[in-house]
Amino acid sequence: MKQFTSVHDVPDPEALVKEALALKQAPRGSLRQSGNDATIALLFFNPSLRTRLSTQKAAIELGLSVMDYNAGQGWQLEFEDGAVMNMDKAEHIREAAAVISQYADIIGIRTFPGLKDREQDYSDYILRQFQRYARVPVVSLESAIRHPLQSLADWVTIEEYRPAHRPKVVLSWAPHPRALPQAVANSFLEWMKLADVELVLTHPPGYELAEEFTRGVSVTHDQNETFEGADFIYAKNWSSYQDYGRILSQDAAWMITPEKMALTNNGKFMHCLPVRRNVVVADAVLDGPNSLVIEQANNRTYAAMAVLKSILES
Ligand code: CP
């Protein structure tokens, strides 16, 4: 694998899931030679707990040296080609990406959308400009429109808890007080469409996701009906794609509760975290025996290991 910015960069996504599951079984420390003295730079334009630490842990397990940089607090970068840089932006992406490429063999980037200009966000502008000007492989640590490392870990988790039958997997919108990106939901659909599951998306009217991600996916506005017979409930909030970046509803009736989980086939609860307790999901679900959220976060390490190992091998 040459880079990792979406599932489209992965030659065989199912094989990558299997690799992550295999790496989870490997004795700790047994893969420290894989890094071959390489270095990874992790650039964070936005906050992160899981992505930051799990990618560092994955790199350490593979014997990579890690440089971690709060890019959001560094020199403000200009991403526009041909810009006249007489305002607040001190450094152009052309130099920054080229310079970092001298120091690191892989560059990881975490960036969020502005949620104001849909066209710009959906061009995945910051990530694409890094890809364009970096001279080493780029790994998305979540971009404006996708979170592929999360989706890979989610698929790994579903495989670990897969029932004997073909599972019904529901992605459900849930309320949230702040406007959030569509990245996790977009990416989850993109990856799950390739898995052997029955995939259903449920959300209130107005929260339709971009067609490139929902094409071929069953979509409903009836959350309760959709939960019936589900084996996995993946809850996530996102702001409107159509009325871009806006919160159209904070309807508490969409919160995931024990009553709703009772409609499922003893379904497992999933969320990428961080999660707002008793807004997105009730305590009793999050703390209950069917909650997979901590294991999902654990699997972030093995997902990142599988991705980095594949890039190192190529
Ligand atoms: N799920 C996830 O990406 O968590 P962080 O934002 O903490 O990295």
Side-chain angles (χ1 to χ4, degrees):
M1 190 159 50
K2 306 286 183 214
Q3 61 178 7
F4 185 77
T5 62
S6 83
V7 74
H8 305 299
D9 291 326
V10 183
D12 186 344
E14 199 171 345
L16 194 63
V17 171
K18 287 189 178 140
E19 172 73 353
L21 286 163
L23 288 168
K24 193 169 180 178
Q25 301 308 320
R28 182 172 289 196
S30 63
L31 294 152
R32 294 268 160 89
Q33 302 307 315
S34 313
N36 201 21
D37 289 331
T39 298
I40 185 168
L42 303 176
L43 276 53
F44 287 85
F45 288 89
N46 302 94
S48 170
L49 187 159
R50 279 143 291 273
T51 308
R52 190 168 200 147
L53 298 183
S54 65
T55 310
Q56 286 187 32
K57 180 166 164 53
I60 291 164
E61 285 298 322
L62 292 173
L64 286 160
S65 299
V66 183
M67 296 187 295
D68 179 276
Y69 179 58
N70 285 326
Q73 292 167 13
W75 298 116
Q76 277 207 58
L77 292 183
E78 175 60 66
F79 288 91
E80 288 285 353
D81 291 319
V84 177
M85 292 173 56
N86 60 357
M87 299 294 281
D88 51 347
K89 310 281 175 60
E91 177 151 24
H92 199 276
I93 180 66
R94 290 179 81 118
E95 288 78 54
V99 167
I100 298 163
S101 301
Q102 315 284 326
Y103 306 149
D105 302 285
I106 302 173
I107 302 176
I109 298 156
R110 155 66 74 104
T111 180
F112 286 166
L115 292 179
K116 289 188 171 63
D117 181 338
R118 186 171 89 178
E119 200 179 329
Q120 186 179 76
D121 285 348
Y122 271 70
S123 71
D124 233 353
Y125 169 68
I126 293 177
L127 181 69
R128 297 298 166 213
Q129 286 293 71
F130 262 105
Q131 275 181 280
R132 189 168 171 199
Y133 292 117
R135 298 169 187 177
V136 297
V138 167
V139 172
S140 169
L141 305 174
E142 185 171 354
S143 75
I145 57 169
R146 290 184 174 90
H147 197 350
L149 277 175
Q150 179 67 55
S151 308
L152 175 56
D154 297 337
W155 188 346
V156 167
T157 310
I158 286 171
E159 288 307 315
E160 286 184 311
Y161 291 88
R162 175 180 277 278
H165 59 269
R166 187 169 182 257
K168 179 177 178 182
V169 176
V170 173
L171 172 60
S172 177
W173 182 92
H176 196 283
R178 298 190 60 188
L180 297 187
Q182 295 102 29
V184 170
N186 287 343
S187 215
F188 184 72
L189 294 178
E190 200 166 51
W191 285 74
M192 274 296 107
K193 279 197 268 186
L194 303 175
D196 183 22
V197 303
E198 178 195 351
L199 179 61
V200 187
L201 168 64
T202 186
H203 57 71
Y207 281 100
E208 287 74 18
L209 293 165
E211 213 249 333
E212 71 172 289
F213 298 104
T214 58
R215 199 176 300 125
V217 177
S218 299
V219 185
T220 82
H221 294 152
D222 186 333
Q223 190 191 40
N224 284 350
E225 189 181 276
T226 309
F227 274 34
E228 283 171 18
D231 299 289
F232 296 91
I233 301 296
Y234 196 115
K236 184 72 185 87
N237 173 270
W238 58 90
S239 57
S240 176
Y241 172 74
Q242 289 174 342
D243 196 352
Y244 192 63
R246 283 196 56 204
I247 298 174
L248 306 179
S249 158
Q250 294 193 34
D251 188 354
W254 279 76
M255 183 171 82
I256 314 300
T257 60
E259 293 72 29
K260 287 197 182 144
M261 292 303 290
L263 300 169
T264 69
N265 181 27
N266 194 27
K268 307 289 187 197
F269 175 78
M270 300 179 71
H271 190 283
C272 62
L273 304 180
V275 70
R276 301 262 183 154
R277 283 175 172 261
N278 304 309
V279 176
V280 172
V281 56
D283 281 344
V285 175
L286 196 57
D287 300 331
N290 282 12
S291 173
L292 299 184
V293 298
I294 304 303
E295 202 50 44
Q296 262 178 280
N298 185 29
N299 285 333
R300 294 293 307 274
T301 298
Y302 308 105
M305 283 178 76
V307 167
L308 297 180
K309 186 164 175 287
S310 174
I311 289 175
L312 288 165
E313 285 169 356
S314 73

